[in-house]
Amino acid sequence: MAKVRVEASKSYDIIISAGLLQSAGEHIKNTVGGTKAAIITDDIVDKLYARTLETTLIDAGYEVFKFVIPNGEGSKNTENFLAILDFLAENGFTRKDAAVALGGGVVGDLAGFTAASYMRGMRLVQVPTTLLAAVDSSVGGKTGIDLRAGKNLAGTFYQPDLVLCDYLTLSTLKEDVFRSGCAEVIKYGVISDTSLFESLREPIESRLEEIITRCVEIKRDIVAADEREGGLRQILNFGHTFGHAIELLSDYRTPHGEAVAIGMAMMARACARLAICGTSTAESIIDMIRHYGLPTETAFSVEDIYKAALSDKKMGGGVITLVVPIEIGRCELRKTSLEELWEFIELGLKT
Ligand SMILES: NC(=O)c1ccc[n+]([C@@H]2O[C@H](COP(=O)([O-])OP(=O)(O)OC[C@H]3O[C@@H](n4cnc5c(N)ncnc54)[C@H](O)[C@@H]3O)[C@@H](O)[C@H]2O)c1
Ligand SMILES: [Zn+2]
């Protein structure tokens, strides 16, 4: 068992342990309290894990309710947001009761945003069941939903009261969903931990506790220094500017992790060609991405990616901030003009 303490606007523990789901009720009762618990999950995770969670919550004395959404990004929408708010109200939830997000990033973002809005903020527990949710979305307090005009356009910062990561649940993930999470793990290595990065040459399935713990420690430290993404937190977006562009261009058919993998490879190539990093650094990044069976190339054109990157919500005033690798374990933020952005994309696509 590992425990990571986050000190942000709210302080909370992330507990990472095999079989934790079975004793989740007790942990939640002790740290979060309340008398009612709303399990928010998707249909796939519901069939696999909701029963276990429900049982332990009842054993801990909770009156348990459950709201199940269809799995997939399409569920992170305003309809479900409003439906869960009504569900909480109709079942008499108070601010002191707990919303328990059981699932991947879709469930976590939607449940988190709903919990943040219900009575201006109720108790929230994240129980991540994908690798991406375990190392990234369940930690740090970003919550939100998609609007018709684009992804994550409505949201807020809302830290959970507790994160319970039972990594045994990751064993049922489809291979491509697991692989997608590996892209984020590689990202953590590149942005801040050489030894984590080097260790990724060995398979990670048998040491998930160690890997997840290290990743959330890195995210914790970055979030503690810059909770609302005024500056430093942007470092977590390594590979994401072009990654988001590729996701958008593919109509979200390219999974997030695969798009980020391509984005990281593009940044690595461009930075080597611009002498921002050495060729060997770029090669290490690209080799590691390939090692995990993730893509490093895309068929989209410079112009497509340029236009899609400009439509990103983080763009402001003709300047875009890119995260550039300097060496493995160290990245920097670099303000880039539109001409330079074009050049980065052009150099990043050239293989
Ligand atoms: N809040 C943040 O900081 C943050 C960070 C990164 C990504 N995100 C968001 O996270 C979302 C992506 O998250 P995701 O990749 O976890 O996707 P997801 O939640 O859609 O899960 C992927 C698939 O895996 C299934 N699944 C989940 N757990 C399972 C398990 N244990 N066994 C078998 N199947 C399981 C789900 O039903 C789904 O079909 C996006 O909406 C993205 O915007 C948020
Ligand atoms: Zn990501």
Side-chain angles (χ1 to χ4, degrees), residues 176-177 179-181 183 243 246-247 253-264 289 293-297:
D176 60 326
V177 179
R179 206 185 301 136
S180 203
I246 291 162
E247 275 186 284
R253 274 187 285 273
T254 303
H256 179 73
E258 288 184 22
V260 168
I262 298 166
M264 293 192 292
I289 295 169
L294 288 159
T296 58
E297 286 164 35

Side-chain angles (χ1 to χ4, degrees), residues 132 136 184 187 240 244 256 260:
L132 179 134
D136 196 353
E184 303 286 356
K187 176 192 81 178
H240 281 60
H244 285 151
H256 179 73
V260 168

Side-chain angles (χ1 to χ4, degrees), residues 12 15 17 25 49 57 97 100 108 152 157 173 201 245 277 281 310 312 330:
Y12 57 97
I15 305 176
S17 178
Y49 303 112
L57 284 166
D97 292 320
V100 185
N152 295 327
F157 288 96
L173 287 176
R201 291 188 219 285
C277 71
T281 298
L310 289 191
D312 196 290
R330 188 158 72 91

